[in-house]
């Protein structure tokens, strides 16, 4: 029986072309290593039904247009359990082997002969977890929000598995005093004006950098021709959730700004970078 085909969006075609191929790589850490038999059950019963593209190939029809074609998925082709060189020491951690394997996954291309995703179950402990699950999904399957929503929908709450995963929301304090409301309105107008100024400034600077001004050579940007074909290494950073919550409570900012500030702080060690005044409290 021939199944109906879905057209591939222009963005999806761009992300999976001869000139560009972009994939999303994520890592789940476990206190107990995950067995592949449980992974097969979750993939078959939970993961695949979420989105038909997870069980579809990107094909080209007779008119040259790219389509998503539904196929039967062989889960064994998508699940890999790597084997690292063993070490009998009880205090040995496989952080270096794990990072090398993660770097290799990031550079390998996904096969076009099967649906554009794969799972790697790592059963070796590192300093962060006893086991890991690495998932790699092609960006043509969807944007970051849709893919992360699909992955999070596979998870269950510990206290009540029947309920979906929820996250705390930012609550604003209500005030019955009109003075505080007026101050809040003034602060909102100030923030809107500052954002407009920063947007115009950043856009103009981006136009200059894209067409007229070349980026400086730094420890991160070599400027050499063909650098995109050189080997890459994945570097990880670990943040304590308690530390992030404490910064969020003190500065009253969203978690993304906290993580962004911490990353910028590390990048400042390699090359000069301009940071808005509002981010200085996060970077300290």
């Amino acid at each position: 029986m021939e199944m109906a085909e879905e057209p591939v969006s222009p963005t999806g075609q761009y992300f999976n072309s001869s000139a560009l191929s972009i994939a999303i790589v994520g890592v789940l850490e476990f206190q107990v290593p995950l067995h592949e038999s449980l992974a097969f059950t979750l993939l078959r019963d939970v993961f695949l039904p979420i989105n038909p593209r997870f069980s579809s190939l990107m094909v080209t029809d007779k008119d040259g247009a790219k389509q998503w074609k539904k196929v039967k998925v062989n889960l064994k082709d998508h699940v890999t359990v790597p084997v690292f060189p063993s070490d009998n020491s009880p205090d040995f951690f496989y952080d270096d082997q794990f990072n090398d394997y993660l770097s290799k996954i990031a550079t390998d291309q996904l096969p076009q002969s099967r649906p554009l995703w794969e799972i790697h179950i790592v059963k070796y402990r590192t300093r962060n977890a006893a086991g890991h699950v690495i998932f790699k999904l092609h960006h043509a399957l969807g944007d970051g929000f849709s893919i992360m929503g699909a992955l999070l929908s596979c998870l269950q709450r510990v206290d009540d598995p029947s309920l979906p995963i929820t996250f705390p929301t930012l609550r604003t304090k209500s005030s019955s005093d009109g003075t505080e409301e007026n101050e809040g309105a003034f602060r909102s107008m100030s923030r809107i004006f500052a954002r407009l100024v920063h947007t115009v400034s950043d856009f103009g600077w981006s136009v200059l950098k894209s067409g007229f001004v070349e980026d400086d050579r730094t420890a991160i940007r070599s400027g050499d021709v063909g650098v995109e074909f050189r080997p890459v290494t994945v570097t990880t950073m670990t943040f304590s959730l308690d530390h992030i919550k404490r910064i969020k409570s003190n500065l009253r900012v969203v978690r993304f700004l906290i993580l962004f500030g911490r990353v910028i702080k590390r990048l400042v060690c390699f090359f000069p970078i301009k940071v808005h005044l509002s981010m200085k409290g996060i970077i300290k």
Side-chain angles (χ1 to χ4, degrees), residues 170-191:
L170 181 62
R171 297 180 179 179
T172 57
K173 296 182 179 180
S174 60
S175 173
S176 58
D177 190 355
T179 303
E180 294 186 3
E181 293 181 358
N182 292 334
E183 293 179 356
F186 177 77
R187 285 195 297 268
S188 299
M189 292 297 297
S190 300
R191 285 195 296 267

Side-chain angles (χ1 to χ4, degrees), residues 239-246 255:
F239 301 96
S240 170
L241 288 178
D242 294 333
H243 183 58
I244 293 177
K245 290 179 181 178
R246 188 161 57 252
R255 292 182 178 87

Side-chain angles (χ1 to χ4, degrees), residues 144-237:
F145 286 102
S146 61
I147 290 179
M148 288 306 302
L151 293 175
L152 291 176
S153 64
C154 298
L155 305 179
Q156 295 177 335
R157 290 177 50 161
V158 176
D159 56 346
D160 190 351
S162 63
L163 297 176
I165 293 292
T166 57
F167 296 93
T169 57
L170 181 62
R171 297 180 179 179
T172 57
K173 296 182 179 180
S174 60
S175 173
S176 58
D177 190 355
T179 303
E180 294 186 3
E181 293 181 358
N182 292 334
E183 293 179 356
F186 177 77
R187 285 195 297 268
S188 299
M189 292 297 297
S190 300
R191 285 195 296 267
I192 293 174
F193 179 75
R195 290 174 182 174
L196 289 175
V197 173
H198 291 157
T199 299
V200 174
S201 175
D202 293 342
F203 177 76
W205 183 242
S206 298
V207 172
L208 289 176
K209 297 286 284 186
S210 62
F212 305 97
V213 181
E214 183 180 359
D215 290 331
D216 298 331
R217 294 198 175 197
T218 65
I220 294 180
R221 182 185 180 274
S222 65
D224 297 337
V225 178
V227 67
E228 64 272 16
F229 301 108
R230 295 181 180 178
V232 300
T233 300
V234 176
T235 301
T236 60
M237 299 175 62

Side-chain angles (χ1 to χ4, degrees), residues 34-44 79 81 121 123:
L34 180 68
H35 196 272
E36 53 267 29
S37 60
L38 178 59
F40 285 135
T41 303
L42 292 174
L43 292 172
R44 182 181 63 254
V79 178
V81 182
I121 303 175
K123 298 182 179 180

Side-chain angles (χ1 to χ4, degrees), residues 2-226:
E2 185 177 356
M3 298 184 180
E5 297 180 354
E6 175 191 357
V8 180
S9 65
T11 304
Q13 297 183 43
Y14 178 72
F15 281 148
N16 188 31
S17 62
S18 57
L20 186 67
S21 181
I22 299 179
I24 300 174
V25 179
V27 180
L28 293 177
E29 298 178 346
F30 291 85
Q31 294 180 345
V32 179
L34 180 68
H35 196 272
E36 53 267 29
S37 60
L38 178 59
F40 285 135
T41 303
L42 292 174
L43 292 172
R44 182 181 63 254
D45 299 336
V46 181
F47 178 75
L48 290 181
I50 291 176
N51 194 323
R53 296 179 186 175
F54 294 157
S55 55
S56 299
L57 292 176
M58 184 181 294
V59 298
T60 304
D61 60 16
K62 59 182 180 180
D63 297 326
K66 291 188 176 182
Q67 307 280 341
W68 290 110
K69 182 180 180 181
K70 189 84 170 179
V71 296
K72 184 178 181 180
V73 180
N74 185 4
L75 293 178
K76 293 182 179 180
D77 294 337
H78 295 265
V79 178
T80 302
V81 182
V83 177
F84 296 160
S86 61
D87 190 295
N88 296 326
S89 175
D91 299 329
F92 185 78
F93 294 96
Y94 289 84
D95 293 76
D96 293 338
Q97 292 85 342
F98 177 78
N99 290 333
D100 292 341
Y101 186 75
L102 190 61
S103 299
K104 178 180 180 300
I105 292 175
T107 55
D108 290 343
Q109 297 293 326
L110 289 167
Q112 299 292 319
S113 59
R114 63 188 188 218
L116 301 174
W117 61 270
E118 59 187 20
I119 303 292
H120 302 259
I121 303 175
V122 181
K123 298 182 179 180
Y124 299 90
R125 66 172 185 166
T126 63
R127 290 179 173 83
N128 296 325
H132 305 75
V133 172
I134 307 172
F135 57 86
K136 181 176 182 179
L137 301 97
H138 204 286
H139 222 318
L141 297 172
D143 57 18
F145 286 102
S146 61
I147 290 179
M148 288 306 302
L151 293 175
L152 291 176
S153 64
C154 298
L155 305 179
Q156 295 177 335
R157 290 177 50 161
V158 176
D159 56 346
D160 190 351
S162 63
L163 297 176
I165 293 292
T166 57
F167 296 93
T169 57
L170 181 62
R171 297 180 179 179
T172 57
K173 296 182 179 180
S174 60
S175 173
S176 58
D177 190 355
T179 303
E180 294 186 3
E181 293 181 358
N182 292 334
E183 293 179 356
F186 177 77
R187 285 195 297 268
S188 299
M189 292 297 297
S190 300
R191 285 195 296 267
I192 293 174
F193 179 75
R195 290 174 182 174
L196 289 175
V197 173
H198 291 157
T199 299
V200 174
S201 175
D202 293 342
F203 177 76
W205 183 242
S206 298
V207 172
L208 289 176
K209 297 286 284 186
S210 62
F212 305 97
V213 181
E214 183 180 359
D215 290 331
D216 298 331
R217 294 198 175 197
T218 65
I220 294 180
R221 182 185 180 274
S222 65
D224 297 337
V225 178

